[in-house]
Amino acid sequence: MKTEILEIDPSKIDKLKIKKAARVIKNGGLVAFPTETVYGLGADALNPSAGVKIFEAKNRPLDDPLIVHIAEKNDLFKIAKEIHKIALDLTAEFWPGPLTLVLKKSEIIPDIITGGLNTVAVRMPSNPVALSLIKEARTPLAAPSANLFGRPSPTTAQHVLADLTGKIDLIIDGGRTNIGVESTIVDLTRQPFCVLRPGGVSLEKLRAIIPQVELFQPKDVLAPGMYPRHYAPRARVILVQTNGKARVGKVRKLAAELESQGYSFGILTTEENRSKYGDYNVESLGPGADLAACAANLFSVLRDFDRQDVDVIIAEGVKEEGLGLAIMDRLRKAAGMVKEE
Ligand code: TXA
Ligand code: MG
């Protein structure tokens, strides 16, 4: 299959190009498109045979459910049922934006989309390209991140091309996504309400609306789609979580060991510490005090190291506040580790 690329400027949307992309969706095809978090791989959420194609293109297990994207808040009532007030409080505050709600699913959503679950994940993105595409297609879009299963999520159209060229019909290039990590997923069908995945909406902001929400602990139960190594570059990732000054020493020690064993490696750090690693191969996420900037660069730095074909990435941990929680979640999953060192 030939994959076509359409450039669309989010600040000056070309309606003709959106129409073309919407036609592909209507015909049951696959369109990768930018959201404010990461690029999504979209198909008509109400068309089961289009849904199947998403799993095939990504190599994704069929029991890993997809997020349904809508362009009007009221469409939530078509997709989900038993919508309590807390859901509306959350959508009033965070939609359009990087928050996904898990609710009881309505009958119109095919089983293939939800992996057979009786719940559905729904979100209204804020990226104008995403919103125009959904509106023009006149159907909700099922869209996981537009990467091969297990790989870091794409934050540019080039990342999508690297993973999915020849496997999908169309890629809309709308430039770099600005949040850079995926949406926060809140499950409102569990008691207590639970964050299944930290993401673009910080836990602090979420708790201002629902104070009782808890962080899901992957050690206790395995939720659908929570596979051990995820968001992962090809290189092995070692996450150094040591706090304070000792962290730099730990990274240096690991680097010296890898060097003496003849491995090629890269160090992932923040701007402040860059100079502490001398001539080693270092990439910075951004200023450690600006975790939103660091989140925006995370996946593309992981992919950069892959292009350099390093054997190992030594990743320095960041503070687990604000978007730092999402960064640490992705780094732990990339490292295939859950327990603290
Ligand atoms: O920011 C995002 O959320 C991006 C953009 C494209 O919107 N999408 C995204 O989708 O990250 P994906 O498929 O890569 O991750 C969706 C996660 C999966 O891990 C899946 O397990 C979970 O959402 N999920 C979907 N439906 C669910 C459900 N009914 N119950 C529990 N988890 C669900
Ligand atoms: Mg994903």
Side-chain angles (χ1 to χ4, degrees):
M1 173 191 304
K2 190 176 175 307
T3 301
E4 192 179 342
I5 304 169
L6 280 184
E7 270 181 46
I8 302 184
D9 180 351
S11 64
K12 213 176 78 215
I13 292 201
D14 183 334
K15 259 285 152 76
L16 278 179
K17 290 181 179 171
I18 292 286
K19 280 206 158 91
K20 184 169 185 181
R23 254 195 319 273
V24 175
I25 296 286
K26 270 297 176 202
N27 291 333
L30 299 183
V31 175
F33 63 97
T35 80
E36 70 280 18
T37 57
V38 300
Y39 273 74
L41 179 58
D44 181 350
L46 306 183
N47 176 348
S49 56
V52 174
K53 290 185 193 165
I54 291 180
F55 292 91
E56 287 169 356
K58 283 189 55 120
N59 233 338
R60 179 175 171 121
L62 283 167
D63 63 356
D64 190 356
L66 308 176
I67 297 176
V68 175
H69 296 66
I70 56 178
E72 310 271 359
K73 281 189 193 176
N74 274 341
D75 284 349
L76 176 62
F77 294 93
K78 298 182 192 154
I79 312 292
K81 57 186 187 189
E82 296 175 34
I83 299 165
H84 19 55
K85 181 170 176 301
I86 201 85
L88 300 184
D89 293 345
L90 287 170
T91 61
E93 182 70 21
F94 299 113
W95 278 9
L99 179 73
T100 295
L101 299 180
V102 173
L103 291 159
K104 281 269 158 57
K105 92 173 184 73
S106 76
E107 282 67 34
I108 64 163
I109 302 297
D111 281 341
I112 182 83
I113 303 299
T114 62
L117 298 173
N118 62 0
T119 57
V120 62
V122 191
R123 126 170 158 88
M124 178 180 173
S126 65
N127 183 302
V129 176
L131 290 172
S132 316
L133 176 64
I134 301 165
K135 279 184 194 150
E136 190 63 40
R138 291 175 215 284
T139 184
L141 292 192
S145 49
N147 50 280
L148 286 174
F149 181 70
R151 300 265 304 139
S153 295
T155 54
T156 65
Q158 288 68 39
H159 296 162
V160 181
L161 267 170
D163 279 15
L164 298 175
T165 299
K167 297 181 166 176
I168 64 178
D169 300 283
L170 187 67
I171 298 175
I172 300 178
D173 183 350
R176 186 174 282 274
T177 64
N178 47 31
I179 295 176
V181 289
E182 302 86 343
S183 60
T184 302
I185 304 179
V186 180
D187 190 341
L188 297 177
T189 68
R190 284 170 194 255
Q191 283 296 343
F193 301 138
C194 179
V195 173
L196 297 181
R197 178 179 72 186
V201 171
S202 69
L203 191 59
E204 295 88 335
K205 286 198 175 139
L206 203 55
R207 286 206 164 129
I209 310 291
I210 30 173
Q212 69 273 41
V213 75
E214 283 186 9
L215 251 190
F216 179 79
Q217 296 300 332
K219 275 167 265 172
D220 303 332
V221 207
L222 216 59
M226 290 204 154
Y227 292 83
R229 210 167 112 85
H230 221 104
Y231 308 108
R234 291 182 195 93
R236 196 176 140 219
V237 176
I238 302 176
L239 176 59
V240 178
Q241 300 182 97
T242 317
N243 283 325
K245 289 219 174 73
R247 194 161 65 208
V248 171
K250 177 89 191 278
V251 170
R252 280 200 185 130
K253 186 161 169 276
L254 273 169
E257 276 168 23
L258 290 171
E259 196 174 34
S260 73
Q261 290 161 8
Y263 286 106
S264 67
F265 62 92
I267 298 173
L268 184 156
T269 182
T270 50
E271 215 46 58
E272 300 73 40
N273 286 354
R274 186 188 260 286
S275 63
K276 306 214 166 100
Y277 302 121
D279 287 340
Y280 286 131
N281 177 11
V282 181
E283 294 242 28
S284 155
L285 289 180
D290 187 352
L291 291 168
C294 291
N297 290 321
L298 176 67
F299 289 135
S300 104
V301 168
L302 291 177
R303 280 178 182 260
D304 281 348
F305 276 131
D306 264 356
R307 270 203 305 276
Q308 300 167 24
D309 210 19
V310 298
D311 301 318
V312 181
I313 298 168
I314 307 173
E316 256 193 62
V318 298
K319 270 213 179 116
E320 291 201 66
E321 59 186 34
L323 286 194
L325 197 63
I327 296 174
M328 287 300 279
D329 171 76
R330 306 308 185 266
L331 285 176
R332 284 202 188 97
K333 286 175 180 159
M337 67 194 278
V338 184
K339 68 176 173 43
E340 308 280 325
E341 40 169 22

